[in-house]
């Protein structure tokens, strides 16, 4: 019996890839060059709206922000699929960068971005293991709490 496809794993997790979010400015959601797909920063948009706004460590808890990072990763997978047509073409996630709009004393950015990293592992297995940065920032577009971008190697 063959391993489940990433799309089958998503279904097992009770998740559906969303429509690719419309860009807020002059860019595309994802771009392929050679064997790599680079996503633009993905916000925690659900049904066309930000799920939550505010700074992590102030208005938003680290636990809630971790869930927001998971939504960002799901949106990033949708952006990758929009370019390659099928998530089975993902050889591996090479790099994830997570930005966390943080209260001045908040230092739990790695825990927040784990939401994205864990989802990628659940969906892609070993191909979801990646290098990563988790960065605290003063603010993000639309007062989003988290933003995630992904670089994927594809075939």
């Amino acid at each position: 019996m063959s391993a489940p496809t990433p799309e089958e794993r998503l279904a097992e997790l009770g998740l559906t890839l969303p429509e690719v979010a419309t860009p807020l400015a002059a860019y595309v959601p994802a771009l392929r060059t050679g064997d790599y797909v680079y996503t633009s920063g993905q916000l925690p948009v659900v049904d066309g709206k930000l799920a939550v706004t505010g700074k992590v460590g102030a208005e938003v808890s680290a636990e809630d922000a971790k869930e927001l990072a998971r939504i960002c990763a799901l949106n990033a997978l949708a952006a990758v699929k929009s370019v390659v047509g099928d998530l089975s073409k993902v050889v591996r996630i090479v790099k994830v960068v997570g930005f966390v709009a943080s209260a001045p004393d908040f230092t739990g950015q790695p825990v927040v971005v784990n939401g994205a990293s864990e989802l990628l592992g659940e969906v892609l297995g070993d191909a979801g293991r990646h290098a990563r940065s988790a960065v605290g920032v003063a603010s993000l577009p639309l007062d989003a709490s988290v933003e995630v971008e992904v670089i994927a190697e594809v075939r």
Side-chain angles (χ1 to χ4, degrees):
M1 189 160 131
S2 63
T5 67
E7 285 84 351
E8 289 168 343
R9 285 194 192 110
L10 282 165
E12 289 169 4
L13 294 168
L15 299 172
T16 305
L17 282 182
E19 292 296 316
V20 177
T22 302
L24 299 175
Y27 61 89
V28 294
L31 182 71
R32 181 174 182 165
T33 182
D35 292 335
Y36 296 91
V37 174
Y38 292 76
T39 72
S40 295
Q42 300 294 313
L43 301 177
V45 173
V46 177
D47 296 328
K49 296 187 202 107
L50 277 178
V52 176
T53 60
K55 303 280 186 286
V56 181
E59 300 90 357
V60 180
S61 72
E63 294 80 24
D64 289 344
K66 183 177 178 182
E67 185 60 33
L68 296 173
R70 190 173 170 88
I71 295 168
C72 293
L74 190 64
N75 290 339
L77 287 174
V80 170
K81 184 173 179 172
S82 76
V83 173
V84 298
D86 179 350
L87 290 178
S88 293
K89 293 181 180 175
V90 174
V91 173
R92 79 171 311 110
I93 301 298
V94 177
K95 177 85 186 242
V96 170
V97 180
F99 302 95
V100 181
S102 303
D105 60 345
F106 182 75
T107 60
Q109 293 84 3
V111 173
V112 170
V113 181
N114 276 350
S117 295
E118 291 167 3
L119 176 82
L120 294 169
E122 290 169 28
V123 174
L124 298 168
D126 284 344
R129 295 175 50 94
H130 52 268
R132 187 183 88 179
S133 299
V135 182
V137 297
S139 65
L140 289 168
L142 305 176
D143 197 27
S145 303
V146 183
E147 180 173 350
V148 172
E149 62 183 50
V150 170
I151 301 169
E153 181 183 2
V154 297
R155 59 174 155 265

